[in-house]
Amino acid sequence: MQLNTMEDFQRDISYRLLKQPDGTALLTATMKDRFHDVLLEVRVEVATMKIISAEADFRRSPTPDCRNVSAKMAGLNGFVIGRGLQRKVSEVLGGSAGCGNMRNLLLGLLPLALNLGAAAGITDEAEMLDAIHEKLVGSCAGYVAPPRKNWQAMGESMNMQWHHLLLGPGDISAGKATAIQDAFTALFRSAGGPRTMALFRKDAQDGGLDLYFTPESTLHAWRLIEECKATPCAPPSLAGLELLVGHNEITYYLTT
């Protein structure tokens, strides 16, 4: 069976970041396939993450009109890489006069500058990765929680205590209990289901609800606990507690 060029197709994309002596960084991306040979170069001021220049060279393209996109790249000049990046790239290179390939290249390339900023002045690779992790926490699935070394420090500073949150009837009607349970479940799963990480509930007076986070939860769900404004508390009586998230044998672990 003979395949046409789109039925057997390969595209190669590469990225590189190189810090320059003048305090800037040169970010380059290349994209090559049967129809494309594109070089993208972006120069960024490291101290501020501001884009100084952005250029695209279409050395090969499906049509001559593809090269018109090069002039639009100047619209990125002056933008500070960070919040709103995707919106800015879409604004400059979206629509019928833009280029989806260039948008994809930029969204893969420009975040590398954030890694450079987070790792500034660090030579030890393990320490560098921790620094990047700490800076980017909350930005994606890979950085859902702080670096492990900080989990332990956070737990120690909180004395690995239980945490309590009282929800009133209005909170429950607004779906707050469900939202907290769903968020905790996601964190529990991403942490690999720690043996003594759990969320309990107990009916409170006047139709309210008490939520209890076990001590190990402070290692893996500290941001959620903080956002909920749960407060440290003594271990609750196990009588009347209902397990919402955790292992069924959690009460055994907590009493041995």
Side-chain angles (χ1 to χ4, degrees):
M1 176 180 175
Q2 185 174 1
L3 302 178
N4 66 32
T5 54
M6 293 309 299
E7 292 171 334
D8 183 7
F9 183 82
Q10 178 174 325
R11 170 172 290 169
D12 297 315
I13 293 174
S14 68
Y15 298 116
R16 186 183 183 189
L17 180 151
L18 183 62
K19 187 175 181 182
Q20 307 294 302
D22 63 356
T24 66
L26 180 62
L27 289 79
T28 60
T30 61
M31 184 182 76
K32 294 183 179 181
D33 58 41
R34 185 176 181 85
F35 307 107
H36 296 87
D37 184 357
V38 181
L39 171 65
L40 172 63
E41 292 188 337
V42 180
R43 191 173 294 273
V44 175
E45 186 176 64
V46 175
T48 63
M49 291 290 110
K50 182 172 70 175
I51 296 176
I52 299 171
S53 64
E55 301 175 351
D57 181 10
F58 286 79
R59 297 177 288 200
R60 183 171 68 248
S61 57
T63 75
D65 292 332
C66 292
R67 295 172 173 80
N68 297 335
V69 174
S70 299
K72 298 178 69 65
M73 296 294 295
L76 294 171
N77 294 350
F79 178 75
V80 176
I81 298 172
R83 187 180 297 274
L85 173 61
Q86 187 167 350
R87 183 171 61 252
K88 181 65 175 180
V89 170
S90 296
E91 173 189 311
V92 173
L93 292 163
S96 60
C99 176
N101 287 326
M102 294 305 296
R103 293 197 302 272
N104 291 336
L105 282 178
L106 285 164
L107 292 175
L109 177 67
L110 296 182
L112 295 179
L114 299 176
N115 292 349
L116 176 64
I122 302 174
T123 56
D124 179 79
E125 187 167 284
E127 184 181 351
M128 177 186 66
L129 291 175
D130 275 344
I132 292 172
H133 189 152
E134 192 164 349
K135 289 284 187 181
L136 300 185
V137 65
S139 65
C140 68
Y143 300 129
V144 70
R148 185 167 296 276
K149 66 182 181 66
N150 285 350
W151 294 355
Q152 295 172 350
M154 178 70 69
E156 290 169 3
S157 69
M158 300 172 84
N159 296 320
M160 290 291 290
Q161 289 178 286
W162 283 80
H163 280 71
H164 167 251
L165 177 65
L166 173 62
L167 298 179
D171 295 322
I172 297 170
S173 298
K176 189 171 181 179
T178 301
I180 292 172
Q181 181 177 346
D182 290 346
F184 190 91
T185 299
L187 294 169
F188 177 78
R189 290 173 177 168
S190 68
R195 187 177 68 167
T196 57
M197 176 182 178
L199 174 64
F200 289 92
R201 60 159 283 167
K202 180 183 286 188
D203 291 334
Q205 293 181 347
D206 302 322
L209 181 67
D210 289 304
L211 293 180
Y212 292 96
F213 301 83
T214 58
E216 188 167 353
S217 299
T218 62
L219 298 182
H220 311 287
W222 65 273
R223 187 182 293 275
L224 175 63
I225 291 171
E226 187 178 62
E227 289 175 352
C228 292
K229 295 182 170 55
T231 57
C233 67
S237 168
L238 297 181
L241 280 185
E242 177 186 344
L243 179 66
L244 292 178
V245 183
H247 297 289
N248 290 329
E249 61 272 26
I250 181 68
T251 52
Y252 169 79
Y253 294 140
L254 293 175
T255 55
T256 56

